[in-house]
Amino acid sequence: PYAHGNPYHRLLYGSAGPYVPLAGAKDLRQLAQYAAGQVSPVLHLHWDDRMFGRDDDPDTNRINAQTLVDRLQAFKDAGGKIFWTIHNKRAHFERDAESFAWGRGQLCALADLVHVHAPHAARHMIEDWGVAPEKIRIIPHPSYLGAYEPATVTLGRPLPSSPNRQFLFFGTMRGNKGVALLPEAIARLARHRTNFDLLIAGKTMRRAMRRMQPMLDLPQVSVRDGFIPDADVPDIFGAAQVFLAPFGDFFTSGSVMLAQTFGLPVIGPDRAEMRAITPPENHDLLYEGQRPKPLVQMMKRLIDMPDAELAQRRAVCFAYAHATAPAVISRSLAATLSSLFQQEPHDAPR
């Protein structure tokens, strides 16, 4: 499955190739013929929750899942290799958990290599899904340098000047994004500090909007609801100073990588998942416990932080974005894909 509207794919693959989305990728009926016509055919699978358990009818899901698995097996029988990227611990929109779990289990066996973005994801696939450690490859999520504007422009952006601390909360407002935590936390913060602004930008669900309504009445809070066009992303992140990521259940986060690409230090929960996608120098900005109080305390700290220190934190984010630049990650991916047709033993995840 291909993520239309998200630059993730082109950042991951880079300019090297050939990488092409297959026509008819939903049914994959042409896979065996494709494999037979290629020298080193590799199929890169992404979001398995778009492949399995998509229908409300379990019987339909079982039939579709078996058909898909049969076609993947035919691809392998024709000489193809399967490379599978794990994006989520579970389905984003779970309709048929049993069919999804069956499909994921089949992919664990079929995949020649399993790509994860961080060590915690490797542990999950090994311990919870029984993937052989030698099949795991850890390649970080790329930063978004160059995705929305030239990298030199992004890296040259200074800390925005403002009398108030500028916080940003960005992305589709699902429950796991900490929507339930924000209203009480921001209301508490506003009772102690008024010199801050919070922009909530992205598509909000009706239920999430209702939960956030008391917070939205505060003068410090503004909302830009709906899909954010690519052309507007640099201005939104360029005007912010700190990124809020009070996430609950998450596996990895493109929005956190995007924020750091624009130099925004991240406030989020002190969990392995967040530490894996933030630089160690800024880990002291992560808070303990998924409760309003520690989030408020950390926001106060950032409000009171001198701009000179915040600028240093910003430089750390830029350095991290540069270290995980698309050109770096795509080279690592290309080398890994090439290794599928080399007889090279691997004893541990890498």
Side-chain angles (χ1 to χ4, degrees):
Y2 194 87
H4 293 285
N6 185 335
Y8 171 84
H9 284 287
R10 58 184 170 87
L11 298 177
L12 183 67
Y13 296 131
S15 58
Y19 303 120
V20 292
L22 286 176
K26 288 186 177 179
D27 58 35
L28 303 179
R29 70 183 66 185
Q30 82 287 24
L31 275 180
Q33 295 92 323
Y34 174 80
Q38 303 295 322
V39 176
S40 304
V42 178
L43 177 67
H44 187 179
L45 297 178
H46 286 275
W47 291 267
D48 51 338
D49 58 349
R50 300 186 191 180
M51 300 166 63
F52 302 108
R54 296 281 286 173
D55 199 279
D56 290 325
D57 178 17
D59 290 333
T60 299
N61 285 331
R62 280 192 287 271
I63 293 171
N64 292 341
Q66 186 63 63
T67 300
L68 178 55
V69 167
D70 289 344
R71 287 171 179 162
L72 292 173
Q73 185 61 60
F75 172 77
K76 293 197 67 173
D77 292 343
K81 301 287 188 179
I82 294 177
F83 183 76
W84 176 31
T85 293
I86 304 298
H87 292 274
N88 307 316
K89 182 181 290 188
R90 59 181 62 88
H92 261 164
F93 300 101
E94 199 165 69
R95 290 182 174 179
D96 181 356
E98 185 175 343
S99 293
F100 171 74
W102 183 86
R104 174 164 281 198
Q106 295 297 308
L107 291 186
C108 289
L110 281 169
D112 294 280
L113 291 179
V114 178
H115 164 220
V116 295
H117 291 118
H120 71 270
R123 289 193 298 272
H124 172 70
M125 296 309 296
I126 293 169
E127 296 172 3
D128 295 355
W129 289 96
V131 175
E134 61 269 18
K135 287 172 58 169
I136 300 287
R137 296 294 181 273
I138 301 173
I139 305 174
H141 191 299
S143 71
Y144 287 81
L145 277 177
Y148 297 100
E149 65 181 7
T152 53
V153 174
T154 302
L155 295 172
R157 288 178 176 270
L159 178 71
S161 178
S162 173
N164 294 337
R165 185 63 70 221
Q166 301 294 322
F167 294 99
L168 175 64
F169 184 84
F170 182 91
T172 302
M173 308 302 162
R174 290 187 288 264
N176 66 330
K177 290 295 185 72
V179 170
L181 190 65
L182 273 183
E184 183 178 349
I186 301 304
R188 285 190 188 187
L189 178 64
R191 289 196 291 268
H192 299 276
R193 299 286 194 282
T194 58
N195 55 333
F196 76 93
D197 296 302
L198 169 62
L199 172 62
I200 298 171
K203 185 178 180 181
T204 57
M205 308 301 182
R206 289 184 179 180
R207 180 180 298 179
M209 189 66 86
R210 287 196 297 268
R211 285 180 175 179
M212 293 191 296
Q213 191 56 54
M215 174 183 67
L216 303 183
D217 294 333
L218 294 171
Q220 292 92 349
V221 180
S222 57
V223 176
R224 179 169 172 179
D225 190 9
F227 174 76
I228 306 298
D230 286 359
D232 295 349
V233 169
D235 287 340
I236 288 175
F237 280 85
Q241 297 174 325
V242 182
F243 190 73
L244 288 188
F247 301 160
D249 185 16
F250 71 103
F251 209 48
T252 191
S253 173
S255 62
V256 166
M257 296 300 291
L258 177 59
Q260 294 175 120
T261 299
F262 282 88
L264 275 61
V266 175
I267 295 178
D270 189 4
R271 296 172 45 172
E273 295 89 339
M274 192 63 75
R275 285 175 169 263
I277 53 175
T278 52
E281 298 92 330
N282 284 345
H283 282 175
D284 62 316
L285 303 183
L286 306 179
Y287 57 83
E288 293 284 349
Q290 192 65 2
R291 297 174 292 110
K293 184 176 179 180
L295 173 57
V296 171
Q297 291 175 334
M298 193 59 71
M299 292 184 73
K300 285 182 181 179
R301 179 181 169 190
L302 268 294
I303 290 172
D304 297 337
M305 181 177 288
D307 282 357
E309 180 182 348
L310 187 57
Q312 292 174 349
R313 305 275 186 169
R314 181 179 181 85
V316 167
C317 292
F318 281 143
Y320 184 72
H322 192 269
T324 55
V328 175
I329 301 305
S330 63
R331 283 196 298 269
S332 179
L333 176 73
T336 300
L337 293 178
S338 296
S339 75
L340 280 165
F341 290 92
Q342 300 169 0
Q343 298 302 315
E344 179 184 353
H346 298 283
D347 298 323
R350 47 176 233 168

